[in-house]
Amino acid sequence: MRLSTRAQYAVRAMVDLSLHSGGRPVALRDIAEREDIPLNYLEQLFNRLRRGRIVESVRGPGGGYLLARESAAIRVGEIVATVEEPLTPVSCMDEKKGGCTRPEACTTHNVWQMLGERIRGFLDSITLEDLTREARRRGSTE
């Protein structure tokens, strides 16, 4: 199972925002340059993050984006869920596609369900503050 670049880029961009904002808006072009992410792709991601109430936009001169709340209150799982399709390990578990048609008869149903829960639980166990601290320790945003 592999997450898309949407999730990877969104988390990297959020760490960059957390590192560089200092309470001031950060321009997406600056994040795009530091993280080597195409600006138009980053704009799409930040539109989703704004709608998900993870970031706030500030218009005008000196505008950009701010975290909508403290980095310790933002979970990696929330970022990923906001920009990604639902994290389901197998297609038959995807509710948008009708979900499992035979949960009682399927021997492996519980395995896939528990795997999805563990992945989501793991991502939810990490905060943006955790990653920001690690980036500061390493001296980078990767």
Side-chain angles (χ1 to χ4, degrees):
M1 181 157 80
R2 182 178 293 192
L3 294 173
S4 74
T5 56
R6 281 191 305 256
Q8 181 185 6
Y9 287 174
V11 173
R12 279 179 36 204
M14 289 295 294
V15 172
D16 185 278
L17 177 61
S18 180
L19 280 169
H20 293 98
S21 89
R24 294 179 313 276
V26 177
L28 286 185
R29 74 178 167 285
D30 295 338
I31 297 172
E33 286 177 20
R34 283 189 295 265
E35 294 298 322
D36 194 26
I37 300 171
L39 180 58
N40 61 344
Y41 198 66
L42 202 55
E43 288 169 344
Q44 294 171 26
L45 292 175
F46 271 72
N47 280 331
R48 288 181 183 205
L49 293 166
R50 184 183 47 76
R51 284 193 305 266
R53 295 189 172 117
I54 297 174
V55 298
E56 296 174 347
S57 62
V58 177
R59 294 179 181 244
Y65 284 88
L66 294 165
L67 297 177
R69 55 190 183 277
E70 296 290 322
S71 60
I74 298 173
R75 305 250 168 226
V76 171
E78 180 184 9
I79 297 167
V80 171
T82 300
V83 300
E84 260 311 332
E85 296 295 319
L87 286 175
T88 53
V90 291
S91 62
C92 64
M93 300 293 289
D94 191 345
E95 294 299 325
K96 287 185 179 178
K97 295 180 181 175
C100 183
T101 58
R102 31 177 289 160
E104 290 82 26
C106 180
T107 306
T108 61
H109 178 86
N110 288 341
V111 170
W112 307 130
Q113 185 175 19
M114 290 186 322
L115 176 60
E117 290 169 4
R118 292 225 175 142
I119 292 169
R120 287 185 294 277
F122 173 75
L123 293 174
D124 285 339
S125 74
I126 304 165
T127 67
L128 182 57
E129 180 59 28
D130 296 333
L131 294 180
T132 303
R133 253 194 319 270
E134 177 65 15
R136 281 190 185 112
R137 188 185 71 72
R138 289 177 174 225
S140 74
T141 59
E142 292 187 321

